[in-house]
Amino acid sequence: SQELEQSPQSLIVQEGKNLTINCTSSKTLYGLYWYKQKYGEGLIFLMMLQKGGEEKSHEKITAKLDEKKQQSSLHITASQPSHAGIYLCGAEVRSGSEKLVFGKGTKLTVNP
Amino acid sequence: GAGVSQTPSNKVTEKGKYVELRCDPISGHTALYWYRQSLGQGPEFLIYFQGTGAADDSGLPNDRFFAVRPEGSVSTLKIQRTERGDSAVYLCASSPRARATDTQYFGPGTRLTVL
């Protein structure tokens, strides 16, 4: 079965710093989703990537999928306390699958 | 518009009891998903519905777990003879159609604690 490895497990940064979170798969990623989760809340959809080399940005967050479609990165520029939370990557189990497999998440703390 | 809602937000029960968890998807979404998230883990797929039918229930851990969606909207996840290992956050998600390119929108979850 497909497994997603996220790194780092946790990250503490000072406000204003840039940071990167990685998501690596043991198999080809047919669809890669990034979500953010805060305690007591559901997952908030950030971005979805499908094509090798694809890159998407929203405000200060940029997500990339490598050409081989086995690794994705999430980059936050000039982090703010509002960026704090748990970032989860999820992927389609197989091409066209409706089920998502998730990594364990990366806990981000941004100190003011 | 309204997002996915789940009730109750918290449920504490005793080992051996029966519980029901409810999910109200986004209006008009035909696909509905249940996931379970244990502490420190990512969500784990349980079951998904396309309309009223369970299209894939391969993630249900055993026959104590059952889910229904009788009218193609609200869904109920039912757990019989609860065990302490069932303690987790149960997340519901919906999408317009059960297509891989359709984003799944998640509810806030129900935190189940089995004593």
Side-chain angles (χ1 to χ4, degrees), chain B residues 78-89:
Chain B
K78 307 179 181 189
I79 310 174
Q80 299 177 321
R81 306 183 303 280
T82 52
E83 299 177 357
R84 292 194 179 89
D86 298 336
S87 296
V89 175

Side-chain angles (χ1 to χ4, degrees), chain B residues 24-106:
Chain B
D24 281 83
I26 293 172
S27 178
H29 281 193
T30 60
L32 184 146
Y33 309 77
W34 283 100
Y35 292 82
R36 177 170 70 173
Q37 186 176 24
S38 300
L39 192 63
Q41 304 293 316
E44 176 189 20
F45 170 82
L46 296 176
I47 184 172
Y48 98 85
F49 291 86
Q50 175 69 297
T52 60
D56 186 341
D57 64 357
S58 62
L60 295 178
N62 51 60
D63 60 6
R64 294 187 296 105
F65 289 75
F66 188 72
V68 296
R69 194 186 185 199
E71 297 179 358
S73 178
V74 171
S75 176
T76 304
L77 179 65
K78 307 179 181 189
I79 310 174
Q80 299 177 321
R81 306 183 303 280
T82 52
E83 299 177 357
R84 292 194 179 89
D86 298 336
S87 296
V89 175
Y90 288 81
L91 294 164
C92 175
S94 70
S95 68
R97 298 166 297 274
R99 289 185 193 172
T101 53
D102 278 352
T103 298
Q104 295 181 25
Y105 296 93
F106 284 78

Side-chain angles (χ1 to χ4, degrees), chain A residues 33 35 37 39-45 48 50 88 92 94-105, chain B residues 33 35 37 40-45 48 56 58 91 98-109 111:
Chain A
Y33 297 75
Y35 286 88
Q37 185 176 33
Y39 183 83
E41 299 178 17
L43 280 63
I44 301 168
F45 171 74
M48 190 266 277
Q50 277 190 298
L88 290 154
E92 296 167 16
R94 58 183 182 278
S95 181
S97 170
E98 302 80 8
K99 297 189 289 190
L100 295 180
V101 169
F102 286 88
K104 292 184 178 181
Chain B
Y33 309 77
Y35 292 82
Q37 186 176 24
Q41 304 293 316
E44 176 189 20
F45 170 82
Y48 98 85
D56 186 341
S58 62
L91 294 164
R99 289 185 193 172
T101 53
D102 278 352
T103 298
Q104 295 181 25
Y105 296 93
F106 284 78
R111 182 174 298 276

